[in-house]
């Protein structure tokens, strides 16, 4: 699979990215981790063959890092997104949101996955639905924003140091484009300063990626 399928796809994609960068006069390419290290190596080899000189470095960033950095402006949809993460435990959700102090209310369910919580009822509704309603209350959304104040500063500083304030490209194998969308929100960029390229994706990425 690696040699006969993924290899040719990566090779073609690498050449495509360089074509796009040259055509659009972009000098900065930032492949996202985890695959970013491999993609950076492939792009570096390919640019030498073309005798061009671009700034190509992996962007050491994760979905978790950018997702939590966005909690200063946490919205209901950000909390609900966690419940769509396969097999995540309730304890992990409270930890990610940084509001473990209000988890006592559900202490007997903390090590239960969200998938399993759908089958557990307390009163007339499932614990799954009850917890979601609880977490997206105005009081808890305010608490999440308060507890995560300042979290984004370090990541924004890193993104700027890596050149993402200038005209640049991010590169990812991709799926939903969630990381790219959050990066642009953190930097306040929605005017095409960053072009985001994904090899594979869902239709949903069109809404997420500018």
């Amino acid at each position: 699979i690696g040699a006969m399928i993924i290899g040719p796809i990566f090779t073609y994609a690498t050449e495509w990215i360089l074509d796009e960068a040259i055509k659009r006069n972009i000098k900065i390419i930032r492949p996202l981790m985890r695959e970013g290290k491999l993609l950076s190596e492939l792009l570096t080899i390919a640019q030498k063959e073309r005798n061009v000189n671009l700034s190509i470095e992996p962007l050491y960033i994760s979905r978790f890092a950018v997702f939590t950095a966005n909690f200063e402006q946490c919205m209901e949809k950000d909390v609900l997104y966690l419940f769509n993460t396969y097999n995540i435990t309730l304890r992990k959700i409270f930890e990610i949101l940084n509001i473990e102090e209000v988890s006592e209310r559900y202490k007997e369910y903390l090590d239960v996955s969200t998938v399993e919580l759908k089958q557990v009822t307390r009163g007339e509704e499932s614990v799954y639905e009850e917890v979601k309603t609880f977490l997206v209350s105005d009081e808890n959304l305010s608490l999440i924003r308060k507890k995560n104040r300042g979290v984004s500063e370090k990541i924004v500083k890193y993104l700027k140091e890596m050149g993402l304030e200038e005209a640049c490209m991010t590169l990812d194998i991709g799926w939903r484009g969630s990381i790219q969308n959050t990066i642009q929100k953190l930097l306040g960029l929605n005017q095409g300063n960053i072009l985001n390229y994904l090899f594979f994706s869902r239709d949903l990425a069109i809404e997420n990626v500018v």
Side-chain angles (χ1 to χ4, degrees), residues 39 54 105 113 170 188 197:
L39 296 175
L54 306 176
R105 178 172 177 170
S113 71
T170 69
Y197 286 76

Side-chain angles (χ1 to χ4, degrees), residues 75-175:
M75 306 294 287
E76 179 176 325
K77 65 181 179 64
D78 299 315
V79 176
L80 297 181
Y81 177 84
L82 288 171
F83 285 83
N84 294 322
T85 302
Y86 180 73
N87 222 26
I88 190 172
T89 66
L90 192 54
R91 183 186 304 278
K92 192 63 179 177
I93 288 177
F94 280 104
E95 288 177 359
I96 290 172
L97 295 174
N98 197 23
I99 54 169
E100 294 97 321
E101 62 264 42
V102 298
S103 67
E104 182 70 15
R105 178 172 177 170
Y106 297 101
K107 61 182 179 181
E108 66 266 44
Y109 306 109
L110 290 179
D111 294 313
V112 181
S113 71
T114 54
V115 174
E116 295 171 317
L117 283 177
K118 292 180 179 180
Q119 312 304 319
V120 181
T121 58
R122 191 161 80 165
E124 296 184 355
E125 65 178 351
S126 68
V127 174
Y128 178 85
E129 293 298 332
E130 182 185 330
V131 175
K132 286 202 299 182
T133 302
F134 172 69
L135 287 175
V136 300
S137 67
D138 290 342
E139 181 181 357
N140 280 321
L141 287 177
S142 295
L143 179 61
I144 293 167
R145 293 171 190 142
K146 178 181 177 182
K147 292 297 293 291
N148 289 280
R149 195 169 295 147
V151 171
S152 65
E153 291 179 6
K154 288 184 179 179
I155 193 167
V156 169
K157 181 174 182 288
Y158 171 66
L159 292 173
K160 290 180 178 180
E161 288 174 349
M162 291 296 290
L164 268 71
E165 280 192 304
E166 305 175 42
C168 65
M169 297 168 60
T170 69
L171 173 60
D172 192 15
I173 291 178
W175 187 237

Side-chain angles (χ1 to χ4, degrees), residues 1-43:
I1 291 176
M4 302 304 296
I5 300 176
I6 302 300
I9 289 175
F10 273 29
T11 300
Y12 180 84
T14 298
E15 298 295 340
W16 169 58
I17 289 300
L18 289 180
D19 287 342
E20 288 289 302
I22 293 169
K23 179 173 71 176
R24 298 175 185 277
N25 196 31
I26 289 175
K27 305 296 184 184
I28 299 171
I29 303 177
R30 297 290 181 255
L32 306 184
M33 294 300 288
R34 305 176 209 170
E35 299 84 4
K37 184 175 186 299
L38 171 62
L39 296 175
S40 293
E41 291 172 354
L42 293 175
L43 284 164

